Amino acid sequence: MTDRYAVVGNPIAHSKSPLIHAEFARQTNQDMTYEAILAPLDGFAKTIEQLKRTGYKGCNVTVPFKFEAFLCATSKSERAEIAKAVNTLKFEGDEIYGDNTDGIGLVADIERNLHVPMSGKSILLVGMGGAAWGVLSPILRQSPKRFILSNRTVAKAVDAARILSSLGQDTEIAAKSFEELKGEHFDIVINATSSGLNDEMPPLPSGLFSEGSLAYDMMYGRITPFMAFSEKEGASKISDGLGMLVEQAAEAFSVWRGIRPETKPVIEKLRK
Ligand code: ATR
C-alpha cells in the first residue's frame, strides 16, 4: 500500500515541500504520496490526530505550528529538545516521534553544497526567533571556535547562549547586541531574522566579514537587504536559504524512509 505523508501549516499553499518530496520519492523509488494540508490555527492537534488515525506515516510541520508539534510528540531527538520545536513527525503505532531537521539542513547546505566547513570557524547568528532556535545545537555540534548570538531583543540571545553553554563544548559562546558587534569579524554570518520579509535588515555594523567569509540568509526566493549589504561589505560567498530548505527535507525523508536522497538535482530544479 502507498505510504502517505504531508506538510501541515497555515498558510500552506506556497509550500515547495510537496514538489521536493515528490522528486525524492521518484529518485529513490519509494511508493509514497506527499501533500500540503492547511490546518486551522486553533486545530493543529486535531489535524495530527486525524492524520494518524487515517494511516499517514508522518508529516512535516511548518509555521506557525512547530512548537505545538513539539508538544504533540511523545518522544524527541536531542536537537528537537533544544530547539523546543519540531518540523518532522513520524507516526509509529501510538507513538509520535518528533525531530527538527532545520539545523542539520542548514549545516549540510553550508558544509556540503557551499563547501564551507564550520569547525574552528567564527560564526555569527543574527535573530533569535523560531528559525534561529532550530539551528542552534546543530551549529554548535560542528565545533566552531566562536559562536556569537545577536538579536534586536538581546535578552533572547542571552537565554539561548546560556542554554548552549550548558551543552559543554569548547566553543566560545556569547550573546551580543548589534551595537556590541562593532569591531568583530566572522567567517560565517547567518541571518535568521524574519526582517527580509518586510524588505528590511537588522542594523548590523560595517566590517563584520573576514576575508573569505560566507553570508547566509535563511530566507529564499529573492535577494534580501541582508544579502545586498553582505555583497557591499565584501563577503566572499553569499547564499539564500533554498539549499537549506531542500536539505532539511532530505533529512526528514531519511527519518521516514531510512534513505537519504540526492539534493543537488532538486536544488538545481528549484533554482530554475
Ligand atoms: P521566525 O519563526 O521567522 O524566526 P519569529 O519567531 O517571529 O519568526 O522571530 C523573528 C526574528 O526576527 C526575531 O529574532 C526578531 O527580533 P526580536 O526578537 O527582537 O523581535 C527578528 N526581527 C524581525 N524583524 C527585524 C528587524 N527589522 N530587525 C532586526 N530583527 C528583526
Side-chain angles (χ1 to χ4, degrees):
M1 219 170 77
T2 303
D3 290 338
R4 299 176 76 184
Y5 298 89
V7 57
V8 180
N10 187 332
I12 200 63
H14 66 285
S15 175
K16 295 197 190 305
S17 294
L19 195 153
I20 294 170
H21 283 279
E23 285 291 322
F24 289 165
R26 196 178 48 77
Q27 187 199 105
T28 57
N29 289 318
Q30 301 289 301
D31 185 11
M32 59 182 275
T33 60
Y34 186 108
E35 72 215 84
I37 293 178
L38 179 76
L41 288 176
D42 61 353
F44 175 74
K46 245 190 201 160
T47 304
I48 294 303
E49 202 38 57
Q50 202 172 353
L51 292 183
K52 206 154 95 52
R53 214 181 35 239
T54 50
Y56 282 72
K57 297 284 183 188
C59 65
N60 283 131
V61 179
T62 188
V63 176
F65 299 125
K66 291 185 188 182
F67 179 63
E68 277 184 78
F70 176 82
L71 298 178
C72 274
T74 54
S75 68
K76 284 164 278 235
S77 64
E78 184 211 57
R79 56 201 187 198
E81 292 281 5
I82 293 163
K84 297 261 179 291
V86 153
N87 76 337
T88 304
L89 293 172
K90 185 179 179 186
F91 306 142
E92 298 171 309
D94 282 343
E95 299 297 311
I96 303 180
Y97 173 72
D99 198 355
N100 189 321
T101 65
D102 287 332
I104 197 71
L106 172 75
V107 169
D109 193 34
I110 290 180
E111 296 207 325
R112 286 192 220 154
N113 301 334
L114 300 168
H115 309 291
V116 178
M118 291 181 152
S119 169
K121 297 288 177 61
S122 194
I123 301 179
L124 170 64
L125 181 69
V126 185
M128 223 55 256
W133 275 92
V135 303
L136 287 175
S137 73
I139 292 177
L140 184 66
R141 294 291 182 228
Q142 300 312 305
S143 303
K145 181 159 167 274
R146 300 180 78 211
F147 190 16
I148 306 301
L149 312 178
S150 190
N151 194 42
R152 182 172 60 186
T153 311
V154 183
K156 292 188 200 170
V158 171
D159 257 6
R162 189 171 34 81
I163 290 169
L164 276 193
S165 299
S166 72
L167 297 180
Q169 286 198 214
D170 289 341
T171 304
E172 175 198 338
I173 298 164
K176 292 187 186 256
S177 67
F178 297 148
E179 186 71 16
E180 286 167 333
L181 294 174
K182 268 186 195 153
E184 298 260 3
H185 309 290
F186 298 94
D187 304 304
I188 303 173
V189 179
I190 301 164
N191 180 26
T193 73
S194 57
S195 59
L197 286 174
N198 304 318
D199 247 345
E200 292 171 359
M201 68 163 279
L204 297 173
S206 189
L208 285 180
F209 295 98
S210 299
E211 206 172 309
S213 57
L214 166 71
Y216 193 99
D217 201 318
M218 281 166 52
M219 276 193 55
Y220 62 87
R222 61 175 140 162
I223 296 177
T224 62
F226 168 76
M227 291 165 75
F229 165 84
S230 306
E231 181 163 28
K232 251 194 357 231
E233 284 286 318
S236 297
K237 283 188 181 176
I238 298 166
S239 178
D240 72 355
L242 186 72
M244 174 182 174
L245 176 78
V246 177
E247 295 293 346
Q248 66 75 27
E251 288 293 332
F253 191 91
S254 88
V255 167
W256 295 324
R257 312 299 300 181
I259 178 168
R260 202 180 192 284
E262 286 286 327
T263 50
K264 220 172 165 188
V266 182
I267 295 172
E268 280 168 9
K269 190 164 182 174
L270 287 176
R271 285 252 179 254
K272 280 189 209 142

